[in-house]
Amino acid sequence: MKQIWIILIAAALGACTQQAQLDNGSVLALSEGWQLSHTGGPEKVAAVVPSTVAGSLYASGFYGDDLMVGRNYAKADKSIFDDEWVYRTEFLAKPAQGQHCELAFEGLGYRADIFLNGTQIASSDTTFGVFRRHVYDVASLLKGRNQLEVRLRRAQPGDLNLGFVDWNPRPLDESMGLVRPVSLHTTGAVSIEDVFVIPHLDVPNCEQADLEVRIKLRNQEDHPVEALLDLDLQDVGAFQSQAVLPAASCTTFVLTPAEASQLHLVRPRVWWTWEQGNPELYGLTVAVKADNAVSDTRAVSFGVRKIESRLTGKNYRQFTLNGRDILIKGAGWSDDIFLLDTPESLERQVKYVKDMNLNCIRFENIWGKDDTIYDLCDREGLLALVGWSCQWEWEDYCGLPETHGYGCINDPASEDLAVDYFRDQVIRLHNHPSVFAWMTGSDRIPNPGLEERYLDIYQQEDYRPYVNSAKNLYSTVSGWSGTKMEGPYDYVAPDYWYFDTEHGGAFGFNTETGIGANLPQMESLRRMIPADKLWPLSDDWNYHCTASSSVMNTVDYLKETLSAQYGEPEDLEDFVRKAHALDYAGTRGMFEAFRARMPESTGIVQWMLNSAWPSIFWQLYDWYGVPTAAYYGTKKACEPAQLIFNYKDRKAYLANECMKCGGMTAYVMVFDADSKVIGQECKSVVARYHTVVPVFDLRKYDGKPHFIALMLQGADGKVVAKNFYCIGASDNVYEFDKSTWYHTPVRKWTDLRFAFAHKDADIEMTVEPVEEGYAVTLVNHSDFIVPQIILKALDKDGNLAVPVYWSDNFCPILPGETEVFLCRTEQKDLDIVLNQ
């Protein structure tokens, strides 16, 4: 084992600058100045909280610079995590007479013995569980300068832990650590346990709203207390309410416009997803006074909006936002494998989601080491679909026996823990306007007794739609899920989504699906695969596929499918180029099909959005933060108003999810395989919100390879959207009767080799620095189509700069065409490079 060096942080007490005396209502975040060590070892590593042990070691340099390269992760020593690891910190706090101080742990991984100033306040036989909130009254133990020690042991098989399932390798330490915030909350006699705001918006006109405010108060004294509530609602002002609290009790007070007229809003600022309006937020501050002094305060943010869902006549779940049907367009989130995401990296990723024109992130595992990611979704106008992950439904991952149809949570102890988890996480998230539904199952449904307990909590602590599973399952407690997860998870071509009528095709709400390998760009590949293993394709590539033991764990099928359609790759560069073309068209085709088939289709979630480590599969941007070709295919497919080619009926449709598009003009140009124009047409078009209308019939071009270029122009003459297709002489021939859960075999692939028949096009590039970043002008002086130009912004080390937002990329340029691409970035002195 590599020698661990000692890292000492002199700021062992950064908190020393703070006052030991704390005001009522104050929250002291215990996030900095921690040290980490393990039993039997002399090592001390600086740590922050939240964190994992392995993440802290990785950040300290313990694993060097190449842990994620090749197969090195598989060789890493896990035995050091068999030991007990200890987090230690010091902080200043001393309560005044009558003050109460609660030490709160929002998430522990996984079993903890906790000591404050030498006194044990919790033991690992009762203090465990990563999604459970642990709170201790420690006022009597605080003495000014305080020492906090948390001794942790990692999760064992059968523990209900965080899980990365087959998406990524398991964390080296099984996510051992203080994985959520630790804080000290100081109050007087009365504490505010929760403030929950439920908006009742009058739809569809959205001109009025009533707010229901539920305030949970705890009287920590052994006698009744008269309390005064001071509320201050943004845009409205301050008002008061009185409460009498029984001795040593927790009481929820409910305020509605009947008790406080200020809770009736006229012309409220409404929260919308970003593509439909502004994601408006309100703030509410609540202070409780006892004995004429402030005892506690709490501030929350919320949105005024109405989320509903219904089952259609075909049993598809349709969600509505503020009275409007919406097509859910999202992707599945994964935290970093070491929980090393920062507020900056999270903000970048949320902005990526918007840049791709998506409106949703699915958080299957209640991800996030704090609320930052959900706050960003609130602020940026993205929907958040939350729920439990499948890691507790597969016996080989969870370690508990799986009961058919109900996953692994079926014994009293694990059910009790899951219920505690559910209560704490629902309460944690119930003010976020971005959260639009909860799923309590992924591949399974909860057993009836467990689900009844979930629903008892949900009816008290939330109001949004409840969904029992991500799969098309029926519960005797809650009915049909109205969702589906019938695959595919490995490659299918763009036409699959139109021809499939039984599995993952474009109908209903597909909660997780995708085309498998979303290959990183070359610069990222060179960072994750050793140079001598890059070509020919090696087992180092396979190790960075999925962690599945059965399928999707090699790049063999990727090479097979791209070779069958675009021709055998000549070298590494040719392989990557063709993989990008496959990825772009395949991912774009998936999102387009669900848009082109509204309202038959109600939702689509790409599996996945991102990866927890350097990966080849299931990602719209890679672990280094670099967009894949699929990123730009998604961005193109999900333009609010877009012209889409339907591979089944060979027509081009206008799909509109824009409220104010109005009349537009649609153009089509069709080229033969040699880039000669063989047809063109234009039409005036209009489509209402959430509708699809046919525009061009392109069946007459069938039977020969051809290119289709589509353009949508607004009434002001500006381009609204462009699209482009390479169409083979014949369709792919699928063997639907042999479909599996992860893909559908193809008997005969379409031939697209003509797309890359021409090489070395004469493209002139001009780069001009502008305020937002760079304006890149390309002029195609060749007499043929270049189907895929790739623009790269490289830093001084030759890596792709992050973040960079291209207006378009991985796209075609037609003969004689001039195109201007905007590269939005705050970074300077980047090298702009063109690949084709």
Side-chain angles (χ1 to χ4, degrees):
M1 185 183 82
K2 183 182 296 185
Q3 180 65 37
I4 302 179
W5 60 91
I6 300 177
I7 300 177
L8 294 174
I9 297 296
L13 251 211
C16 284
T17 58
Q18 304 174 32
Q19 296 296 317
Q21 198 71 45
L22 301 174
D23 295 330
N24 285 349
S26 67
V27 177
L28 175 63
L30 303 180
S31 56
E32 304 292 336
W34 291 82
Q35 286 189 345
L36 185 59
S37 61
H38 73 105
T39 305
E43 305 83 5
K44 292 183 180 179
V45 175
V48 295
V49 170
S51 66
T52 67
V53 174
S56 299
L57 291 175
Y58 182 75
S60 76
F62 170 65
Y63 290 106
D65 298 327
D66 60 354
L67 178 66
M68 299 303 194
V69 178
R71 298 184 58 84
N72 291 341
Y73 189 88
K75 304 171 187 175
D77 181 15
K78 296 182 181 180
S79 65
I80 59 173
F81 303 114
D82 294 335
D83 296 333
E84 180 182 74
W85 282 78
V86 184
Y87 281 80
R88 293 184 178 91
T89 192
E90 293 185 359
F91 64 95
L92 297 177
K94 185 176 183 180
Q97 183 68 31
Q99 280 189 318
H100 297 265
C101 295
E102 291 188 335
L103 183 62
F105 296 83
E106 304 295 335
L108 298 164
Y110 185 81
R111 295 183 180 273
D113 292 292
I114 305 174
F115 298 81
L116 179 61
N117 293 329
T119 298
Q120 185 167 7
I121 61 173
S123 60
S124 57
D125 57 339
T126 58
T127 308
F128 57 86
V130 69
F131 292 118
R132 184 193 250 171
R133 188 171 188 265
H134 300 273
V135 180
Y136 307 97
D137 191 335
V138 296
S140 62
L141 298 176
L142 296 174
K143 56 183 184 181
R145 183 183 296 273
N146 304 282
Q147 296 180 338
L148 178 61
E149 179 177 287
V150 184
R151 302 175 185 173
L152 291 166
R153 288 198 171 273
R154 69 179 177 186
Q156 301 297 320
D159 290 334
L160 302 185
N161 193 23
L162 281 171
F164 290 83
V165 210
D166 61 353
W167 321 327
N168 306 280
R170 296 181 83 122
L172 300 175
D173 61 351
E174 298 294 336
S175 301
M176 176 166 55
L178 299 177
V179 298
R180 294 268 169 86
V182 178
S183 63
L184 184 73
H185 180 202
T186 303
T187 74
V190 180
S191 62
I192 301 174
E193 302 295 296
D194 185 46
V195 176
F196 179 25
V197 182
I198 303 175
H200 301 280
L201 179 64
D202 185 20
V203 297
N205 57 35
C206 300
E207 288 294 314
Q208 297 185 77
D210 288 339
L211 303 181
E212 178 182 338
V213 180
R214 300 180 183 178
I215 305 170
K216 190 178 297 183
L217 300 177
R218 180 179 300 278
N219 179 5
Q220 307 202 57
E221 302 298 312
D222 59 3
H223 56 81
V225 172
E226 293 185 4
L228 178 67
L229 291 169
D230 280 334
L231 296 90
D232 191 350
L233 178 60
Q234 184 180 355
D235 292 351
V236 173
F239 54 100
Q240 294 181 325
S241 181
Q242 292 185 329
V244 176
L245 305 177
S249 65
C250 192
T251 308
T252 298
F253 290 86
V254 179
L255 298 177
T256 68
E259 291 79 30
S261 61
Q262 294 87 349
L263 297 178
H264 175 72
L265 306 181
V266 178
R267 291 183 294 280
R269 294 185 290 106
V270 177
W271 190 92
W272 292 97
T273 53
W274 68 269
E275 83 277 22
Q276 294 198 41
N278 294 323
E280 299 284 355
L281 296 172
Y282 282 85
L284 174 65
T285 301
V286 179
V288 60
K289 293 180 179 178
D291 296 326
N292 297 316
V294 172
S295 183
D296 198 6
T297 62
R298 180 74 67 95
V300 297
S301 175
F302 67 95
V304 175
R305 56 97 183 91
K306 188 169 188 176
I307 289 285
E308 298 174 289
S309 77
R310 66 179 187 276
L311 295 181
T312 70
K314 294 186 177 180
N315 224 27
Y316 305 151
R317 188 167 294 276
Q318 173 68 64
F319 285 94
T320 66
L321 173 63
N322 302 330
R324 299 177 188 168
D325 285 356
I326 52 173
L327 176 67
I328 302 299
K329 303 182 295 294
W333 175 275
S334 175
D335 273 358
D336 176 85
I337 201 165
F338 289 141
L339 302 190
L340 287 175
D341 274 316
T342 63
E344 293 76 20
S345 72
L346 295 175
E347 183 170 12
R348 178 190 72 222
Q349 293 178 74
V350 167
K351 288 183 176 178
Y352 276 166
V353 175
K354 285 182 65 176
D355 187 56
M356 285 184 281
N357 297 306
L358 299 176
N359 61 13
C360 173
I361 301 176
R362 183 181 172 200
F363 297 97
E364 180 179 343
N365 200 28
I366 317 299
W367 291 113
K369 56 189 178 183
D370 55 28
D371 272 17
T372 300
I373 186 66
Y374 302 100
D375 291 339
L376 286 165
C377 288
D378 294 344
R379 188 187 78 193
E380 298 295 335
L382 289 170
L383 296 168
L385 179 58
V386 301
W388 295 142
S389 170
C390 58
Q391 81 253 15
W392 302 336
E393 298 172 338
W394 300 349
E395 184 172 344
D396 60 348
Y397 197 95
C398 178
L400 292 173
E402 180 180 347
T403 300
H404 178 68
Y406 298 130
C408 302
I409 305 176
N410 298 290
D411 63 279
S414 58
E415 286 186 11
D416 288 347
L417 180 58
V419 168
D420 287 344
Y421 279 3
F422 187 70
R423 179 184 295 106
D424 287 350
Q425 297 310 307
V426 168
I427 292 173
R428 171 195 170 198
L429 297 175
H430 60 187
N431 277 317
H432 288 283
S434 57
V435 175
F436 71 100
W438 256 89
M439 287 182 170
T440 51
S442 176
D443 302 41
R444 303 287 187 265
I445 54 175
N447 71 59
L450 177 59
E451 187 174 19
E452 287 175 353
R453 296 176 70 184
Y454 283 159
L455 285 172
D456 285 345
I457 294 168
Y458 204 70
Q459 289 163 3
Q460 298 174 44
E461 302 293 354
D462 216 315
Y463 61 94
R464 285 164 276 225
Y466 166 90
V467 184
N468 57 40
S469 178
K471 199 169 185 177
N472 184 27
L473 295 174
Y474 178 79
S475 161
T476 57
V477 176
S478 56
W480 284 102
S481 68
T483 60
K484 68 173 184 177
M485 49 178 295
E486 304 298 328
Y489 293 90
D490 211 343
Y491 181 76
V492 292
D495 54 2
Y496 163 87
W497 307 97
Y498 295 92
F499 285 101
D500 175 73
T501 58
E502 296 183 13
H503 305 287
F507 57 92
F509 186 2
N510 196 335
T511 59
E512 51 179 75
T513 189
I515 65 165
N518 301 124
L519 198 70
Q521 296 194 50
M522 184 69 79
E523 291 76 7
S524 292
L525 286 169
R526 294 190 187 281
R527 298 173 73 176
M528 59 190 278
I529 308 292
D532 61 342
K533 304 291 186 181
L534 276 167
W535 192 260
L537 302 180
S538 65
D539 191 50
D540 286 56
W541 284 74
N542 298 336
Y543 184 65
H544 288 268
C545 294
T546 78
S548 171
S549 60
S550 55
V551 293
M552 296 178 291
N553 50 22
T554 76
V555 289
D556 294 348
Y557 195 56
L558 171 62
K559 185 178 180 183
E560 175 188 332
T561 53
L562 70 83
S563 298
Q565 295 177 76
Y566 292 107
E568 192 75 20
E570 300 172 359
D571 51 27
L572 176 63
E573 287 71 21
D574 193 39
F575 171 78
V576 172
R577 177 180 66 160
K578 289 172 178 176
H580 287 334
L582 200 77
D583 188 14
Y584 181 100
T587 306
R588 179 189 61 173
M590 175 185 69
F591 278 105
E592 283 186 341
F594 276 80
R595 297 193 67 206
R597 301 206 65 219
M598 295 185 299
E600 184 80 358
S601 54
T602 61
I604 170 67
V605 178
Q606 147 80 13
W607 204 248
M608 295 179 65
L609 174 66
N610 59 346
S611 294
W613 83 309
S615 179
I616 288 168
F617 262 69
W618 300 337
Q619 58 194 350
L620 297 179
Y621 51 88
D622 65 30
W623 186 69
Y624 307 102
V626 176
T628 62
Y631 179 108
Y632 297 102
T634 301
K635 180 182 173 83
K636 181 68 66 177
C638 296
E639 291 276 1
Q642 179 61 285
L643 291 168
I644 295 171
F645 177 71
N646 183 318
Y647 284 84
K648 186 173 185 178
D649 66 13
R650 324 304 278 191
K651 295 179 182 180
Y653 288 82
L654 169 60
N656 182 35
E657 293 177 89
C658 178
M659 290 299 299
K660 300 177 181 179
C661 279
M664 294 173 285
T665 303
Y667 298 85
V668 63
M669 294 181 69
V670 183
F671 302 80
D672 66 14
D674 295 319
S675 300
K676 306 301 181 185
V677 177
I678 57 176
Q680 54 186 321
E681 192 177 352
C682 73
K683 285 185 178 181
S684 296
V685 293
V686 64
R688 299 188 312 276
Y689 166 77
H690 198 70
T691 61
V692 180
V693 296
V695 182
F696 300 116
D697 189 337
L698 303 175
R699 286 176 290 181
K700 60 184 176 182
Y701 303 106
D702 285 353
K704 294 182 180 180
H706 57 283
F707 300 102
I708 298 172
L710 298 164
M711 184 176 72
L712 197 58
Q713 192 177 66
D716 58 2
K718 294 181 179 180
V719 174
V720 174
K722 287 185 174 183
N723 220 340
F724 180 84
Y725 299 85
C726 302
I727 306 298
S730 60
D731 293 326
N732 297 297
V733 180
Y734 292 93
E735 298 183 288
F736 287 108
D737 59 333
K738 297 180 180 179
S739 292
T740 66
W741 64 270
Y742 66 95
H743 88 137
T744 294
V746 173
R747 185 166 65 249
K748 182 181 179 182
W749 291 102
T750 188
D751 187 348
L752 300 175
R753 286 176 293 177
F754 71 95
F756 292 107
H758 298 287
K759 295 184 179 180
D760 301 322
D762 181 7
I763 300 179
E764 177 187 349
M765 181 173 73
T766 304
V767 180
E768 178 185 0
V770 294
E771 184 177 354
E772 302 94 330
Y774 300 88
V776 181
T777 302
L778 300 183
V779 183
N780 184 6
H781 293 296
S782 304
D783 60 359
F784 56 85
I785 293 169
V786 180
Q788 178 183 254
I789 59 98
I790 304 175
L791 289 164
K792 299 173 180 280
L794 303 178
D795 62 22
K796 60 181 176 59
D797 297 320
N799 293 320
L800 286 158
V802 173
V804 164
Y805 305 90
W806 286 100
S807 57
D808 202 357
N809 210 339
F810 289 77
C811 57
I813 185 166
L814 306 181
E817 188 174 39
T818 298
E819 285 282 352
V820 179
F821 300 84
L822 180 63
C823 171
R824 291 188 294 112
T825 178
E826 295 181 357
Q827 300 183 56
K828 306 298 181 184
D829 302 321
L830 297 180
D831 185 19
I832 306 299
V833 175
L834 169 66
N835 286 5
Q836 52 171 300

